[in-house]
Amino acid sequence: MPASPRAPGVVSPRAPATGPSALHPLLGVVLDALRDGAVARGGPLPHGGPEAVAVRVGAAVGEAFPLRGTGAEEALTTLVRTLAEGAADPADPRCAAHLHTPPLALAAAADLAACALNPSLDSWDQAPAAAELEALVTRALAAEFWPGGDALVTSGGTESNQLALLLARERHGSVQLAQGANAHHSLSRAAWLLGLPEPVTVPAPSGTLDLAALDEALTDLHRPVLVAATAGTTDSGAVDPLPEIAALCARHGAELHVDAAYGGPLIFSDTHRAKLRGLEHAQSVTLDLHKLGWQPVAAGLLAVPDPARLAPLAHTADYLNADDDTEAGLPDLLGRSLRTTRRPDVLKIAVTLRALGRTGLAALVDRTVALARTFADLVEEHPHLDLYERPAISTVLFRPTGATDDEVAGIRRALLTEGRAVLGRARADGRLWLKATLLNPHTTTGDLAQLLKTVEGSTPR
Ligand SMILES: Cc1ncc(COP(=O)(O)O)c(C=O)c1O
């Protein structure tokens, strides 16, 4: 039967191409769309707030799932440009609300390769080299904390904290979590998810866990306890007094988990490593390289001092890690995550570690910490701004002198709606503060001064 002629404008019904060679011509399309979207945005985030963004996205997308496709080039151009135009761009120095990092180009390029190859780390026959690379890199990173340690790659601090609590529960049958009032919300959520007793919250009135209150709490608690300390709090970047907390844990027979999702990369820096002293006493450490490690999401790790600590995660599914395959020497990957299909996030991490080395990463950490100190200086020198405290890592809390909490919240929202700056908010000292989480090592002192001018411009007189 002769083929029926195709209607004009209908895209070829052949399956779209796959594989790296088909990717090459699309890269230029994507890069152009990223550039055009950023130019159209013209600032750190889109102006007009959620309604205006929804209107622009709706108009650009039209029908999200059309009957007939528009083809790769049109779809990439339209949607990548739309996403870029409506992005909060962490590479813009005025985008400083969250632990939302500007990703290194080399890490993004590596992630593209990971997508193109698509290994899945749930069985060796889907990821032969990726499995080995992950084993090498996780051991190398864990060795920064303990010789002979190991680490799991996770989707981020939330999953790492969950796994830490799960491993503690498996060691003891049940475990009582004791956490600072400054701890990340994912810890109490993990306790809820795992059916553990309600966590005991230890006050942290000055931003770090109060030692006398922890001592008292541990004296009162008699079941197995896991104390969760934080190295780099979400609100202010404060680092809990880890040596003293570790000593209290040892005295009371409690175990220690350190959530170093933010502060963990200080370990790479000769200048700042000492802030993590005491962390070596932990049973587990959360570390996120998609924060102070400049990786595209996701690049989380849970590190442990001894690979045997991970044994409770062992699990068998005949189609992935049959006993006879394991006995025959095929690496068993299923026990390295609670996930099954798992992307090779390790590739971008491996490329970054190799390309920059420890000294290169340390230089980025040092520069970013120095930037926060400069920003704090500028706030202190400013006649109409108050600084909460000198930054411990790269977070600076500040507020206009004499402003009410409502005014502080209003400034943040006005800057967001006008698309002029993305600042966070944090409560400290019973008051609401503007929060600048600086993660872009390329930001200049001039950029920081400009950011303060922008805040000044939105401050009610
Ligand atoms: C201290 C801390 N722990 C854990 C997390 C959770 O990390 P993720 O968002 O990667 O799950 C965060 C996130 O900001 C954090 O600040």
Side-chain angles (χ1 to χ4, degrees), residues 99 155-159 161 184 186 230 232-234 259 261 288 290-291:
L99 287 157
S155 60
T158 300
E159 185 186 341
N161 285 340
H184 191 256
S186 58
T230 310
T233 62
T234 317
D259 178 354
D288 259 1
H290 59 231
K291 295 183 168 55

Side-chain angles (χ1 to χ4, degrees), residues 124-180:
W124 187 85
D125 56 0
Q126 299 175 84
E132 186 56 25
L133 184 66
E134 185 177 89
L136 293 171
V137 169
T138 48
R139 284 200 293 265
L141 282 170
E144 296 288 308
F145 302 114
W146 312 273
D150 198 359
L152 300 176
V153 176
T154 70
S155 60
T158 300
E159 185 186 341
S160 299
N161 285 340
Q162 269 172 19
L163 283 169
L165 221 55
L166 171 69
L167 292 175
R169 186 194 71 184
E170 292 304 296
R171 285 196 290 276
H172 301 291
S174 181
V175 72
Q176 170 69 57
L177 173 65
Q179 56 172 11

